[in-house]
Amino acid sequence: MMKYLSDINWWKQLSLNVLTLLTALLAALTVAKVHIDWFTSDTINAVAQFIIAFGTFFVGSVAGIINTYVTERSKKKAKAVAEQYAKEQAEAAAAKVAKAKEVLATTAENPETTPSTEGPVSETNTTVQ
């Protein structure tokens, strides 16, 4: 329902429907020879204009309030998401550092797994002409 209330065309259509209904009522009362002093075509047009004016006011007010609320809420949500992302990145970096320290500690404790720099060195024969 809010989707329609925030659309100015919906209000224009509503005023047109009310205008049509009231005009038909005025015609029916005129044919029946019933005359009401305040119920004229000018009154009907005023009612239709009031509906459009109220709709414009309503759409503008609701749009302003919703945009203010949604914007404020979106800012808070975006800040929370950014903080969560930064926290996750920091935790991931800390986990990588901890894993690297663990690997280094294991390597230092067990020299058999440490790559050796000693041993036969292959020589390459290069001939210079």
Side-chain angles (χ1 to χ4, degrees), residues 11-99:
W11 287 98
K12 288 178 182 178
Q13 186 65 40
L14 176 67
S15 74
L16 182 63
N17 290 341
V18 170
L19 180 69
T20 304
L21 178 69
L22 291 177
T23 303
L25 180 62
L26 179 62
L29 291 175
T30 303
V31 169
K33 304 277 187 204
V34 175
H35 181 70
I36 302 173
D37 291 336
W38 59 267
F39 192 58
T40 64
S41 61
D42 291 334
T43 308
I44 293 170
N45 288 333
V47 169
Q49 289 300 318
F50 176 77
I51 292 172
I52 292 174
F54 179 78
T56 305
F57 172 75
F58 184 81
V59 168
S61 300
V62 168
I65 291 169
I66 288 175
N67 285 341
T68 301
Y69 173 72
V70 169
T71 302
E72 197 62 36
R73 194 173 110 199
S74 295
K75 285 180 184 177
K76 288 178 183 177
K77 187 175 181 180
K79 184 178 179 183
V81 168
E83 289 172 354
Q84 181 66 27
Y85 179 76
K87 182 180 175 184
E88 289 173 0
Q89 292 298 323
E91 288 174 355
K96 285 182 181 179
V97 168
K99 182 149 178 110

Side-chain angles (χ1 to χ4, degrees), residues 1 3-15:
M1 182 69 174
K3 178 175 118 180
Y4 298 110
L5 292 178
S6 64
D7 183 12
I8 193 66
N9 290 325
W10 184 85
W11 287 98
K12 288 178 182 178
Q13 186 65 40
L14 176 67
S15 74

